[in-house]
Amino acid sequence: MAEPANCSRCGGLFMKRTHTFCEACRNREELDYRAVYKFLRERENRAATADVIAEATGVDEKQIRKFVKDRRLHPMNFPGLSYACERCGGAIRQGRLCPSCSKELNEALAKINRNEKAREKRNHREEEPETTRSSYYSIHRKKR
């Protein structure tokens, strides 16, 4: 069921269903998308970057990058398009993180997992009764 909400773009009141912005802003976005796509369909413009497209079409560069991020414009078809990594802001063409940020995050997670396993192992040893712990015995032999 729809509920009243303020448009995240223009601030106007609308009935919220699936989008966070009103019908007028949605129509404006669709017109912007069509203008960008029409520009990019021309062979000589396919390798254009977001700033060149913005200058030629009048569509905000941020909106163009959002089209790419939302997969409405595919970077595979338009090699000059990219959007920002959510961590460092570097240009990427797919996913949410660039390869270096992804690698750093995976290494940090692996380190946390190793620390957690070591902590669990220590806690398990502390909970173990004294009698079940393994003992070390040394055998002393007399030298002849």
Side-chain angles (χ1 to χ4, degrees):
M1 183 160 185
E3 59 185 53
N6 288 333
C7 177
S8 60
R9 295 188 178 167
C10 68
L13 190 62
F14 75 105
M15 295 304 284
K16 182 178 180 181
R17 289 185 178 87
T18 57
H19 295 286
T20 60
F21 43 92
C22 65
E23 187 72 27
C25 290
R26 241 188 5 218
N27 290 339
R28 202 169 320 126
E29 181 181 284
E30 190 58 32
L31 290 174
D32 288 347
Y33 171 75
R34 288 181 184 168
V36 170
Y37 190 71
K38 182 180 178 184
F39 177 79
L40 286 171
R41 278 194 350 214
E42 296 175 18
R43 182 175 295 273
E44 64 273 3
N45 298 333
R46 289 193 181 153
T49 60
D51 56 337
V52 171
I53 298 167
E55 189 176 306
T57 61
V59 177
D60 186 33
E61 186 176 340
K62 193 175 185 179
Q63 183 63 44
I64 295 168
R65 293 192 190 284
K66 185 179 180 299
F67 290 148
V68 177
K69 189 174 184 177
D70 293 345
R71 312 281 300 157
R72 290 187 76 184
L73 295 173
H74 298 278
M76 214 169 202
N77 299 335
F78 309 111
L81 294 178
S82 63
Y83 54 95
C85 168
E86 291 183 6
R87 187 164 180 250
C88 70
I92 57 174
R93 300 183 68 195
Q94 66 181 17
R96 296 175 66 180
L97 301 172
C98 65
S100 62
C101 288
S102 182
K103 182 181 175 187
E104 284 179 27
L105 231 55
N106 285 333
E107 288 172 355
L109 286 172
K111 185 178 179 181
I112 290 170
N113 285 337
R114 282 193 306 271
N115 290 342
E116 188 65 31
K117 285 180 183 177
R119 187 178 304 121
E120 285 176 10
K121 194 173 183 180
R122 254 191 329 270
N123 289 342
H124 180 69
R125 270 194 237 141
E126 289 172 1
E127 292 171 0
E128 199 173 89
E130 288 289 326
T131 56
T132 61
R133 289 190 186 170
S134 57
S135 301
Y136 177 78
Y137 299 99
S138 100
I139 300 174
H140 297 285
R141 292 189 175 174
K142 291 182 181 179
K143 289 185 180 179
R144 294 186 182 185

